[in-house]
Amino acid sequence: ETLCLRSAIGRAPALEGEARGWAQIGLSSSIDPDTFVRPATSFVATVDVSGSMDRDEQAIQRRGYVEAFSHPDIVNAVRSGPFGRIAVTYVEWAGPAAQSVTVPWSVIEDRSSAEAFATRLAAMSIARIRGTSISGAMMFAAPLFAANDYQGLRRVIDISGDGPNNNGMPVTSARDAALARGVVINGLP
């Protein structure tokens, strides 16, 4: 099931058909061909830390992600996917220029890696920043797919928040730009 870049560059037996095509598309030059494994999905979890979110709401939001990533059902769903792994990063956002990566790209492929991601996320402090720019979150998240060593077959941004876009470009413009890159966007109120 694991596609290794080695077969795409000729140091291992060549893959045939669709598998060969998947091994060759979208690979950045920073990828180490000796360690590359393709995740089924590259997933950017973006969460609202603006002033419209009170501390209790932020804690609930964070706890939900921590519990989800450490839950056996999530691990089983990941393991049952095409390659048995996903790549995930966690981003906090508020105003148009107020986004930060809280947990960098990580591969989740088993209970241990899922729990490590959840533990790392749980240990981080929660930011509080002014403004609510859903469009800013999308514009920050979309390029993250090209700037990592995990080239998932699907690219997904989850937007979690509690208020309307009140800062930055229109949401529809940011959404259209992300969709043009082949990114799926999930909205979580």
Side-chain angles (χ1 to χ4, degrees):
E1 278 189 341
T2 300
L3 290 182
C4 177
L5 183 59
R6 291 162 125 357
S7 51
I9 59 175
R11 290 189 286 171
L15 297 173
E16 297 296 324
E18 184 180 9
R20 185 169 196 270
W22 284 124
Q24 292 177 323
I25 63 170
L27 302 177
S28 73
S29 60
S30 65
I31 293 175
D32 180 351
D34 292 322
T35 60
F36 176 74
V37 289
R38 181 180 295 283
T41 299
S42 294
F43 179 80
V44 181
T46 66
V47 297
D48 184 354
V49 294
S50 68
S52 66
M53 298 282 291
D54 65 38
R55 294 206 184 275
D56 289 338
E57 288 174 316
Q58 288 179 324
I60 289 168
Q61 182 175 241
R62 172 69 66 84
R63 189 171 54 250
Y65 277 100
V66 168
E67 289 175 4
F69 280 110
S70 59
H71 197 281
D73 289 347
I74 297 296
V75 174
N76 290 338
V78 167
R79 295 291 306 147
S80 69
F83 300 123
R85 71 185 58 80
I86 63 172
V88 180
T89 188
Y90 187 91
V91 172
E92 293 180 333
W93 63 271
Q99 305 87 23
S100 64
V101 173
T102 304
V103 180
W105 286 104
S106 305
V107 170
I108 295 177
E109 59 189 348
D110 55 24
R111 185 163 184 85
S112 174
S113 57
E115 288 176 355
F117 182 86
T119 299
R120 189 168 183 188
L121 177 58
M124 302 301 291
S125 62
I126 300 173
R128 288 203 38 97
I129 309 168
R130 296 185 59 90
T132 303
S133 180
I134 298 167
S135 58
M138 283 189 268
M139 295 304 289
F140 180 83
L144 294 177
F145 297 107
N148 74 71
D149 289 342
Y150 310 109
Q151 304 296 319
L153 300 180
R154 292 186 67 225
R155 295 174 295 166
V156 178
I157 298 172
D158 264 21
I159 306 280
S160 178
D162 77 337
N165 192 68
N166 65 19
N167 243 320
M169 72 172 19
V171 172
T172 53
S173 299
R175 178 204 61 209
D176 292 347
L179 293 175
R181 291 177 176 215
V183 175
V184 173
I185 302 168
N186 297 323
L188 305 171

